mmCIF file of all heavy atoms in Angstrom:
data_model
loop_
_atom_site.group_PDB
_atom_site.id
_atom_site.type_symbol
_atom_site.label_atom_id
_atom_site.label_comp_id
_atom_site.label_asym_id
_atom_site.label_seq_id
_atom_site.Cartn_x
_atom_site.Cartn_y
_atom_site.Cartn_z
ATOM 1 N N HIS A 640 0.856 -1.122 -0.048
ATOM 2 C CA HIS A 640 -0.018 0.006 -0.009
ATOM 3 C C HIS A 640 0.910 1.226 0.012
ATOM 4 O O HIS A 640 1.528 1.492 1.069
ATOM 5 C CB HIS A 640 -0.892 -0.004 1.254
ATOM 6 C CG HIS A 640 -2.015 1.031 1.194
ATOM 7 N ND1 HIS A 640 -1.755 2.338 1.068
ATOM 8 C CD2 HIS A 640 -3.327 0.863 1.235
ATOM 9 C CE1 HIS A 640 -2.921 3.035 1.076
ATOM 10 N NE2 HIS A 640 -3.859 2.116 1.152
ATOM 11 N N ASN A 641 1.094 1.754 -1.146
ATOM 12 C CA ASN A 641 2.119 2.832 -1.326
ATOM 13 C C ASN A 641 1.904 4.009 -0.414
ATOM 14 O O ASN A 641 2.918 4.636 0.186
ATOM 15 C CB ASN A 641 2.110 3.329 -2.814
ATOM 16 C CG ASN A 641 2.543 2.226 -3.737
ATOM 17 O OD1 ASN A 641 3.451 1.434 -3.390
ATOM 18 N ND2 ASN A 641 2.012 2.103 -4.875
ATOM 19 N N VAL A 642 0.716 4.545 -0.357
ATOM 20 C CA VAL A 642 0.438 5.784 0.439
ATOM 21 C C VAL A 642 0.865 5.492 1.938
ATOM 22 O O VAL A 642 1.359 6.408 2.646
ATOM 23 C CB VAL A 642 -0.979 6.268 0.278
ATOM 24 C CG1 VAL A 642 -1.214 7.444 1.205
ATOM 25 C CG2 VAL A 642 -1.177 6.640 -1.155
ATOM 26 N N ARG A 643 0.531 4.307 2.373
ATOM 27 C CA ARG A 643 0.737 4.092 3.774
ATOM 28 C C ARG A 643 2.096 3.418 4.106
ATOM 29 O O ARG A 643 2.344 3.076 5.256
ATOM 30 C CB ARG A 643 -0.434 3.124 4.208
ATOM 31 C CG ARG A 643 -1.782 3.728 4.093
ATOM 32 C CD ARG A 643 -2.878 2.664 4.294
ATOM 33 N NE ARG A 643 -2.821 2.137 5.603
ATOM 34 C CZ ARG A 643 -3.744 1.196 6.140
ATOM 35 N NH1 ARG A 643 -4.737 0.773 5.250
ATOM 36 N NH2 ARG A 643 -3.673 0.802 7.312
ATOM 37 N N ASN A 644 2.902 3.229 3.086
ATOM 38 C CA ASN A 644 4.195 2.625 3.262
ATOM 39 C C ASN A 644 4.043 1.276 3.995
ATOM 40 O O ASN A 644 4.808 0.965 5.028
ATOM 41 C CB ASN A 644 5.197 3.564 3.990
ATOM 42 C CG ASN A 644 5.908 4.423 3.061
ATOM 43 O OD1 ASN A 644 6.045 4.226 1.887
ATOM 44 N ND2 ASN A 644 6.363 5.575 3.609
ATOM 45 N N THR A 645 3.151 0.495 3.519
ATOM 46 C CA THR A 645 2.837 -0.835 4.183
ATOM 47 C C THR A 645 3.172 -1.950 3.092
ATOM 48 O O THR A 645 2.752 -1.766 2.000
ATOM 49 C CB THR A 645 1.326 -0.829 4.666
ATOM 50 O OG1 THR A 645 1.158 0.171 5.628
ATOM 51 C CG2 THR A 645 1.051 -2.190 5.233
ATOM 52 N N VAL A 646 3.658 -2.946 3.573
ATOM 53 C CA VAL A 646 4.031 -4.074 2.628
ATOM 54 C C VAL A 646 3.457 -5.405 3.251
ATOM 55 O O VAL A 646 3.433 -5.580 4.408
ATOM 56 C CB VAL A 646 5.428 -4.245 2.391
ATOM 57 C CG1 VAL A 646 6.203 -4.595 3.634
ATOM 58 C CG2 VAL A 646 5.692 -5.157 1.285
ATOM 59 N N TYR A 647 2.949 -6.267 2.349
ATOM 60 C CA TYR A 647 2.361 -7.562 2.765
ATOM 61 C C TYR A 647 2.998 -8.662 2.156
ATOM 62 O O TYR A 647 3.647 -8.528 1.031
ATOM 63 C CB TYR A 647 0.895 -7.737 2.490
ATOM 64 C CG TYR A 647 0.120 -6.431 2.978
ATOM 65 C CD1 TYR A 647 -0.103 -5.287 2.233
ATOM 66 C CD2 TYR A 647 -0.439 -6.387 4.222
ATOM 67 C CE1 TYR A 647 -0.826 -4.223 2.650
ATOM 68 C CE2 TYR A 647 -1.079 -5.366 4.716
ATOM 69 C CZ TYR A 647 -1.393 -4.212 3.817
ATOM 70 O OH TYR A 647 -1.998 -3.204 4.366
ATOM 71 N N LEU A 648 2.988 -9.846 2.729
ATOM 72 C CA LEU A 648 3.510 -11.073 2.162
ATOM 73 C C LEU A 648 2.462 -12.145 2.330
ATOM 74 O O LEU A 648 2.381 -12.589 3.482
ATOM 75 C CB LEU A 648 4.842 -11.405 2.751
ATOM 76 C CG LEU A 648 5.609 -12.632 2.162
ATOM 77 C CD1 LEU A 648 6.007 -12.332 0.556
ATOM 78 C CD2 LEU A 648 6.791 -13.111 2.854
ATOM 79 N N GLU A 649 1.892 -12.567 1.274
ATOM 80 C CA GLU A 649 0.922 -13.637 1.416
ATOM 81 C C GLU A 649 1.716 -14.900 1.066
ATOM 82 O O GLU A 649 2.293 -15.138 0.052
ATOM 83 C CB GLU A 649 -0.189 -13.504 0.321
ATOM 84 C CG GLU A 649 -1.222 -14.560 0.295
ATOM 85 C CD GLU A 649 -2.119 -14.654 1.482
ATOM 86 O OE1 GLU A 649 -2.364 -13.522 2.008
ATOM 87 O OE2 GLU A 649 -2.614 -15.644 1.968
ATOM 88 N N MET A 650 1.614 -15.827 2.026
ATOM 89 C CA MET A 650 2.434 -17.099 1.937
ATOM 90 C C MET A 650 1.460 -18.203 1.970
ATOM 91 O O MET A 650 0.659 -18.521 2.817
ATOM 92 C CB MET A 650 3.349 -17.245 3.170
ATOM 93 C CG MET A 650 4.321 -16.062 3.306
ATOM 94 S SD MET A 650 5.556 -16.226 4.590
ATOM 95 C CE MET A 650 4.419 -16.315 6.035
ATOM 96 N N ASN A 651 1.461 -18.983 0.822
ATOM 97 C CA ASN A 651 0.681 -20.192 0.613
ATOM 98 C C ASN A 651 1.490 -21.432 0.486
ATOM 99 O O ASN A 651 2.671 -21.410 0.093
ATOM 100 C CB ASN A 651 -0.148 -20.003 -0.602
ATOM 101 C CG ASN A 651 -1.158 -18.820 -0.451
ATOM 102 O OD1 ASN A 651 -1.823 -18.630 0.559
ATOM 103 N ND2 ASN A 651 -1.107 -18.006 -1.474
ATOM 104 N N ASN A 652 0.907 -22.601 0.701
ATOM 105 C CA ASN A 652 1.598 -23.894 0.528
ATOM 106 C C ASN A 652 2.861 -23.799 1.346
ATOM 107 O O ASN A 652 3.871 -24.236 0.857
ATOM 108 C CB ASN A 652 1.781 -24.234 -0.831
ATOM 109 C CG ASN A 652 0.439 -24.266 -1.583
ATOM 110 O OD1 ASN A 652 0.285 -23.496 -2.565
ATOM 111 N ND2 ASN A 652 -0.473 -25.103 -1.196
ATOM 112 N N LEU A 653 2.847 -23.415 2.540
ATOM 113 C CA LEU A 653 4.059 -23.260 3.296
ATOM 114 C C LEU A 653 4.711 -24.736 3.619
ATOM 115 O O LEU A 653 4.009 -25.727 3.674
ATOM 116 C CB LEU A 653 3.691 -22.651 4.612
ATOM 117 C CG LEU A 653 3.550 -21.076 4.624
ATOM 118 C CD1 LEU A 653 2.809 -20.540 5.824
ATOM 119 C CD2 LEU A 653 4.802 -20.412 4.323
ATOM 120 N N GLU A 654 5.911 -24.606 3.590
ATOM 121 C CA GLU A 654 6.831 -25.891 3.857
ATOM 122 C C GLU A 654 7.627 -25.605 5.001
ATOM 123 O O GLU A 654 7.896 -24.561 5.420
ATOM 124 C CB GLU A 654 7.590 -26.032 2.561
ATOM 125 C CG GLU A 654 6.838 -26.217 1.218
ATOM 126 C CD GLU A 654 7.714 -26.208 0.066
ATOM 127 O OE1 GLU A 654 8.945 -25.934 0.169
ATOM 128 O OE2 GLU A 654 7.226 -26.426 -1.024
ATOM 129 N N PRO A 655 8.196 -26.799 5.612
ATOM 130 C CA PRO A 655 9.051 -26.693 6.747
ATOM 131 C C PRO A 655 10.256 -25.811 6.506
ATOM 132 O O PRO A 655 10.775 -25.125 7.421
ATOM 133 C CB PRO A 655 9.391 -28.110 7.039
ATOM 134 C CG PRO A 655 8.193 -28.896 6.619
ATOM 135 C CD PRO A 655 7.748 -28.132 5.427
ATOM 136 N N GLU A 656 10.736 -25.864 5.297
ATOM 137 C CA GLU A 656 11.802 -25.022 4.822
ATOM 138 C C GLU A 656 11.592 -23.503 4.890
ATOM 139 O O GLU A 656 12.506 -22.727 4.826
ATOM 140 C CB GLU A 656 12.384 -25.388 3.459
ATOM 141 C CG GLU A 656 12.869 -26.804 3.366
ATOM 142 C CD GLU A 656 11.765 -27.874 3.288
ATOM 143 O OE1 GLU A 656 10.612 -27.489 3.164
ATOM 144 O OE2 GLU A 656 12.240 -29.024 3.407
ATOM 145 N N ASP A 657 10.325 -23.183 5.052
ATOM 146 C CA ASP A 657 9.991 -21.772 5.165
ATOM 147 C C ASP A 657 10.151 -21.225 6.554
ATOM 148 O O ASP A 657 9.960 -20.033 6.764
ATOM 149 C CB ASP A 657 8.633 -21.491 4.643
ATOM 150 C CG ASP A 657 8.459 -21.805 3.122
ATOM 151 O OD1 ASP A 657 9.362 -21.457 2.371
ATOM 152 O OD2 ASP A 657 7.347 -22.385 2.840
ATOM 153 N N THR A 658 10.430 -22.084 7.541
ATOM 154 C CA THR A 658 10.514 -21.709 8.838
ATOM 155 C C THR A 658 11.752 -20.668 9.100
ATOM 156 O O THR A 658 12.886 -21.054 8.603
ATOM 157 C CB THR A 658 10.679 -23.009 9.747
ATOM 158 O OG1 THR A 658 9.634 -23.716 9.740
ATOM 159 C CG2 THR A 658 10.972 -22.484 11.215
ATOM 160 N N ALA A 659 11.509 -19.625 9.576
ATOM 161 C CA ALA A 659 12.472 -18.540 9.741
ATOM 162 C C ALA A 659 11.790 -17.365 10.406
ATOM 163 O O ALA A 659 10.645 -17.245 10.599
ATOM 164 C CB ALA A 659 13.011 -18.192 8.409
ATOM 165 N N VAL A 660 12.768 -16.409 10.784
ATOM 166 C CA VAL A 660 12.287 -15.147 11.166
ATOM 167 C C VAL A 660 12.200 -14.262 9.916
ATOM 168 O O VAL A 660 13.280 -14.175 9.241
ATOM 169 C CB VAL A 660 13.286 -14.440 12.239
ATOM 170 C CG1 VAL A 660 12.747 -13.076 12.605
ATOM 171 C CG2 VAL A 660 13.268 -15.358 13.492
ATOM 172 N N TYR A 661 11.092 -13.630 9.752
ATOM 173 C CA TYR A 661 10.908 -12.863 8.652
ATOM 174 C C TYR A 661 10.950 -11.456 8.906
ATOM 175 O O TYR A 661 10.357 -10.858 9.845
ATOM 176 C CB TYR A 661 9.518 -13.108 7.871
ATOM 177 C CG TYR A 661 9.482 -14.358 7.151
ATOM 178 C CD1 TYR A 661 9.564 -15.642 7.899
ATOM 179 C CD2 TYR A 661 9.392 -14.466 5.830
ATOM 180 C CE1 TYR A 661 9.499 -16.873 7.209
ATOM 181 C CE2 TYR A 661 9.388 -15.681 5.085
ATOM 182 C CZ TYR A 661 9.456 -16.877 5.786
ATOM 183 O OH TYR A 661 9.458 -18.028 5.124
ATOM 184 N N TYR A 662 11.862 -10.633 8.110
ATOM 185 C CA TYR A 662 12.080 -9.256 8.415
ATOM 186 C C TYR A 662 11.597 -8.399 7.291
ATOM 187 O O TYR A 662 11.813 -8.666 6.033
ATOM 188 C CB TYR A 662 13.623 -9.020 8.500
ATOM 189 C CG TYR A 662 14.210 -9.715 9.691
ATOM 190 C CD1 TYR A 662 14.740 -11.069 9.558
ATOM 191 C CD2 TYR A 662 14.303 -9.130 10.976
ATOM 192 C CE1 TYR A 662 15.376 -11.638 10.638
ATOM 193 C CE2 TYR A 662 14.917 -9.817 12.077
ATOM 194 C CZ TYR A 662 15.428 -11.135 11.898
ATOM 195 O OH TYR A 662 16.005 -11.725 12.960
ATOM 196 N N CYS A 663 10.968 -7.242 7.652
ATOM 197 C CA CYS A 663 10.539 -6.260 6.734
ATOM 198 C C CYS A 663 11.684 -5.330 6.492
ATOM 199 O O CYS A 663 12.542 -4.994 7.311
ATOM 200 C CB CYS A 663 9.309 -5.460 7.255
ATOM 201 S SG CYS A 663 8.665 -4.226 6.230
ATOM 202 N N ASN A 664 11.830 -4.894 5.175
ATOM 203 C CA ASN A 664 12.862 -3.878 4.844
ATOM 204 C C ASN A 664 12.257 -2.762 3.941
ATOM 205 O O ASN A 664 11.422 -2.977 3.091
ATOM 206 C CB ASN A 664 13.913 -4.674 4.064
ATOM 207 C CG ASN A 664 14.950 -3.752 3.435
ATOM 208 O OD1 ASN A 664 14.829 -3.347 2.326
ATOM 209 N ND2 ASN A 664 15.981 -3.383 4.201
ATOM 210 N N ALA A 665 12.741 -1.619 4.127
ATOM 211 C CA ALA A 665 12.452 -0.504 3.296
ATOM 212 C C ALA A 665 13.737 0.100 2.894
ATOM 213 O O ALA A 665 14.712 0.367 3.641
ATOM 214 C CB ALA A 665 11.623 0.489 4.048
ATOM 215 N N ASN A 666 13.851 0.383 1.602
ATOM 216 C CA ASN A 666 14.985 1.067 1.070
ATOM 217 C C ASN A 666 14.888 1.980 -0.047
ATOM 218 O O ASN A 666 13.752 2.040 -0.589
ATOM 219 C CB ASN A 666 15.866 -0.121 0.583
ATOM 220 C CG ASN A 666 15.195 -0.967 -0.505
ATOM 221 O OD1 ASN A 666 15.264 -0.628 -1.633
ATOM 222 N ND2 ASN A 666 14.537 -1.979 -0.177
ATOM 223 N N GLY A 667 15.830 2.760 -0.375
ATOM 224 C CA GLY A 667 15.721 3.788 -1.343
ATOM 225 C C GLY A 667 16.817 4.789 -1.314
ATOM 226 O O GLY A 667 17.876 4.631 -0.669
ATOM 227 N N TYR A 668 16.660 5.832 -2.023
ATOM 228 C CA TYR A 668 17.560 6.868 -2.019
ATOM 229 C C TYR A 668 16.969 8.270 -2.097
ATOM 230 O O TYR A 668 16.035 8.517 -2.936
ATOM 231 C CB TYR A 668 18.595 6.733 -3.279
ATOM 232 C CG TYR A 668 19.652 7.760 -3.438
ATOM 233 C CD1 TYR A 668 20.834 7.560 -2.766
ATOM 234 C CD2 TYR A 668 19.419 8.895 -4.116
ATOM 235 C CE1 TYR A 668 21.891 8.468 -2.866
ATOM 236 C CE2 TYR A 668 20.541 9.786 -4.251
ATOM 237 C CZ TYR A 668 21.633 9.561 -3.649
ATOM 238 O OH TYR A 668 22.674 10.556 -3.670
ATOM 239 N N LEU A 669 17.574 9.165 -1.383
ATOM 240 C CA LEU A 669 16.958 10.525 -1.456
ATOM 241 C C LEU A 669 18.232 11.438 -1.598
ATOM 242 O O LEU A 669 19.302 11.295 -0.974
ATOM 243 C CB LEU A 669 16.326 10.966 -0.091
ATOM 244 C CG LEU A 669 15.049 10.266 0.338
ATOM 245 C CD1 LEU A 669 14.501 10.639 1.703
ATOM 246 C CD2 LEU A 669 13.919 10.680 -0.703
ATOM 247 N N ALA A 670 18.012 12.364 -2.508
ATOM 248 C CA ALA A 670 19.175 13.300 -2.974
ATOM 249 C C ALA A 670 19.822 13.985 -1.833
ATOM 250 O O ALA A 670 21.062 14.103 -1.857
ATOM 251 C CB ALA A 670 18.760 14.162 -3.883
ATOM 252 N N ARG A 671 19.085 14.371 -0.871
ATOM 253 C CA ARG A 671 19.674 15.177 0.318
ATOM 254 C C ARG A 671 19.984 14.291 1.534
ATOM 255 O O ARG A 671 20.438 14.839 2.508
ATOM 256 C CB ARG A 671 18.756 16.320 0.594
ATOM 257 C CG ARG A 671 18.464 17.317 -0.535
ATOM 258 C CD ARG A 671 17.677 18.486 -0.169
ATOM 259 N NE ARG A 671 18.421 19.274 0.770
ATOM 260 C CZ ARG A 671 17.990 20.493 1.278
ATOM 261 N NH1 ARG A 671 16.794 20.974 0.932
ATOM 262 N NH2 ARG A 671 18.711 21.186 2.118
ATOM 263 N N ARG A 672 19.758 12.978 1.324
ATOM 264 C CA ARG A 672 20.049 12.222 2.575
ATOM 265 C C ARG A 672 20.914 11.050 2.184
ATOM 266 O O ARG A 672 21.574 10.560 2.982
ATOM 267 C CB ARG A 672 18.706 11.613 3.034
ATOM 268 C CG ARG A 672 17.840 12.519 3.858
ATOM 269 C CD ARG A 672 16.650 11.791 4.543
ATOM 270 N NE ARG A 672 17.174 10.685 5.380
ATOM 271 C CZ ARG A 672 16.457 9.701 5.913
ATOM 272 N NH1 ARG A 672 15.149 9.660 5.744
ATOM 273 N NH2 ARG A 672 17.024 8.704 6.682
ATOM 274 N N GLY A 673 20.849 10.607 0.973
ATOM 275 C CA GLY A 673 21.674 9.528 0.567
ATOM 276 C C GLY A 673 20.713 8.220 0.664
ATOM 277 O O GLY A 673 19.532 8.320 0.730
ATOM 278 N N ALA A 674 21.448 7.015 0.555
ATOM 279 C CA ALA A 674 20.717 5.835 0.620
ATOM 280 C C ALA A 674 20.191 5.573 2.045
ATOM 281 O O ALA A 674 20.840 5.927 3.002
ATOM 282 C CB ALA A 674 21.615 4.642 0.172
ATOM 283 N N TYR A 675 19.015 4.852 2.149
ATOM 284 C CA TYR A 675 18.480 4.553 3.385
ATOM 285 C C TYR A 675 18.090 3.062 3.333
ATOM 286 O O TYR A 675 17.786 2.525 2.204
ATOM 287 C CB TYR A 675 17.318 5.380 3.758
ATOM 288 C CG TYR A 675 16.152 5.387 2.798
ATOM 289 C CD1 TYR A 675 15.204 4.350 2.880
ATOM 290 C CD2 TYR A 675 16.074 6.342 1.802
ATOM 291 C CE1 TYR A 675 14.055 4.360 1.942
ATOM 292 C CE2 TYR A 675 14.981 6.355 0.928
ATOM 293 C CZ TYR A 675 14.056 5.398 0.967
ATOM 294 O OH TYR A 675 12.963 5.449 0.068
ATOM 295 N N ASN A 676 18.094 2.433 4.415
ATOM 296 C CA ASN A 676 17.752 0.994 4.584
ATOM 297 C C ASN A 676 17.322 0.780 6.023
ATOM 298 O O ASN A 676 18.043 0.777 6.961
ATOM 299 C CB ASN A 676 19.129 0.166 4.298
ATOM 300 C CG ASN A 676 18.747 -1.302 4.073
ATOM 301 O OD1 ASN A 676 17.765 -1.599 3.359
ATOM 302 N ND2 ASN A 676 19.633 -2.111 4.492
ATOM 303 N N TYR A 677 15.973 0.566 6.069
ATOM 304 C CA TYR A 677 15.406 0.298 7.335
ATOM 305 C C TYR A 677 14.939 -1.176 7.599
ATOM 306 O O TYR A 677 14.579 -1.781 6.603
ATOM 307 C CB TYR A 677 14.142 1.141 7.620
ATOM 308 C CG TYR A 677 14.512 2.638 7.336
ATOM 309 C CD1 TYR A 677 13.895 3.368 6.404
ATOM 310 C CD2 TYR A 677 15.346 3.307 8.336
ATOM 311 C CE1 TYR A 677 14.122 4.704 6.290
ATOM 312 C CE2 TYR A 677 15.574 4.669 8.147
ATOM 313 C CZ TYR A 677 15.038 5.438 7.154
ATOM 314 O OH TYR A 677 15.300 6.776 6.957
ATOM 315 N N TRP A 678 14.900 -1.593 8.736
ATOM 316 C CA TRP A 678 14.581 -2.950 9.065
ATOM 317 C C TRP A 678 13.631 -3.041 10.225
ATOM 318 O O TRP A 678 13.731 -2.312 11.191
ATOM 319 C CB TRP A 678 15.892 -3.778 9.496
ATOM 320 C CG TRP A 678 16.848 -3.964 8.373
ATOM 321 C CD1 TRP A 678 17.888 -3.278 7.983
ATOM 322 C CD2 TRP A 678 16.786 -5.057 7.448
ATOM 323 N NE1 TRP A 678 18.611 -3.752 6.954
ATOM 324 C CE2 TRP A 678 17.926 -4.875 6.553
ATOM 325 C CE3 TRP A 678 15.919 -6.120 7.187
ATOM 326 C CZ2 TRP A 678 18.181 -5.776 5.499
ATOM 327 C CZ3 TRP A 678 16.334 -7.080 6.154
ATOM 328 C CH2 TRP A 678 17.395 -6.854 5.418
ATOM 329 N N GLY A 679 12.765 -4.004 10.177
ATOM 330 C CA GLY A 679 11.863 -4.333 11.297
ATOM 331 C C GLY A 679 12.499 -5.230 12.234
ATOM 332 O O GLY A 679 13.610 -5.698 11.923
ATOM 333 N N GLN A 680 11.991 -5.547 13.272
ATOM 334 C CA GLN A 680 12.429 -6.477 14.294
ATOM 335 C C GLN A 680 12.341 -7.956 13.984
ATOM 336 O O GLN A 680 12.918 -8.856 14.567
ATOM 337 C CB GLN A 680 11.834 -6.186 15.678
ATOM 338 C CG GLN A 680 12.275 -4.800 16.293
ATOM 339 C CD GLN A 680 13.733 -4.685 16.408
ATOM 340 O OE1 GLN A 680 14.413 -5.493 17.101
ATOM 341 N NE2 GLN A 680 14.330 -3.665 15.761
ATOM 342 N N GLY A 681 11.363 -8.192 13.043
ATOM 343 C CA GLY A 681 11.168 -9.596 12.692
ATOM 344 C C GLY A 681 9.926 -10.236 13.265
ATOM 345 O O GLY A 681 9.516 -9.855 14.385
ATOM 346 N N THR A 682 9.436 -11.203 12.533
ATOM 347 C CA THR A 682 8.270 -11.990 13.046
ATOM 348 C C THR A 682 8.551 -13.480 12.745
ATOM 349 O O THR A 682 8.943 -13.825 11.652
ATOM 350 C CB THR A 682 6.915 -11.495 12.488
ATOM 351 O OG1 THR A 682 5.809 -12.230 13.040
ATOM 352 C CG2 THR A 682 6.854 -11.747 10.919
ATOM 353 N N GLN A 683 8.302 -14.385 13.800
ATOM 354 C CA GLN A 683 8.610 -15.823 13.593
ATOM 355 C C GLN A 683 7.581 -16.548 12.774
ATOM 356 O O GLN A 683 6.445 -16.340 13.156
ATOM 357 C CB GLN A 683 8.904 -16.330 14.914
ATOM 358 C CG GLN A 683 9.104 -17.847 14.951
ATOM 359 C CD GLN A 683 10.457 -18.260 14.322
ATOM 360 O OE1 GLN A 683 11.430 -17.656 14.814
ATOM 361 N NE2 GLN A 683 10.514 -19.133 13.423
ATOM 362 N N VAL A 684 7.983 -17.277 11.859
ATOM 363 C CA VAL A 684 7.145 -18.145 11.123
ATOM 364 C C VAL A 684 7.692 -19.556 11.237
ATOM 365 O O VAL A 684 8.777 -19.802 10.943
ATOM 366 C CB VAL A 684 6.993 -17.809 9.597
ATOM 367 C CG1 VAL A 684 6.311 -18.887 8.876
ATOM 368 C CG2 VAL A 684 6.401 -16.404 9.307
ATOM 369 N N THR A 685 6.844 -20.457 11.812
ATOM 370 C CA THR A 685 7.134 -21.833 12.082
ATOM 371 C C THR A 685 6.197 -22.665 11.233
ATOM 372 O O THR A 685 5.059 -22.642 11.589
ATOM 373 C CB THR A 685 7.294 -22.098 13.577
ATOM 374 O OG1 THR A 685 8.032 -21.331 14.217
ATOM 375 C CG2 THR A 685 7.598 -23.573 13.744
ATOM 376 N N VAL A 686 6.740 -23.475 10.474
ATOM 377 C CA VAL A 686 5.875 -24.469 9.692
ATOM 378 C C VAL A 686 6.274 -25.837 10.119
ATOM 379 O O VAL A 686 7.320 -26.455 9.889
ATOM 380 C CB VAL A 686 6.127 -24.330 8.093
ATOM 381 C CG1 VAL A 686 5.272 -25.254 7.371
ATOM 382 C CG2 VAL A 686 5.991 -22.866 7.669
#
């Protein structure tokens, strides 16, 4: 959702190999700031 800077991940047919901590990332570049790279704290997915 661009206006809200929200991102989603729909996961189907999950497999045990998908088990991990999933992290959200936001990235880009602003002329007066330079590159940016933000991270969330993560959410655990266990299959």
Side-chain angles (χ1 to χ4, degrees):
H640 190 298
N641 294 323
V642 175
R643 299 169 64 182
N644 275 334
T645 302
V646 66
Y647 307 94
L648 185 67
E649 179 71 33
M650 305 184 293
N651 300 308
N652 301 121
L653 285 162
E654 304 169 352
E656 293 77 12
D657 296 317
T658 296
V660 177
Y661 284 70
Y662 297 92
C663 178
N664 171 266
N666 58 85
Y668 182 87
L669 293 173
R671 301 186 68 177
R672 284 190 59 189
Y675 58 87
N676 194 39
Y677 303 118
W678 294 92
Q680 293 299 305
T682 184
Q683 177 70 49
V684 172
T685 302
V686 185

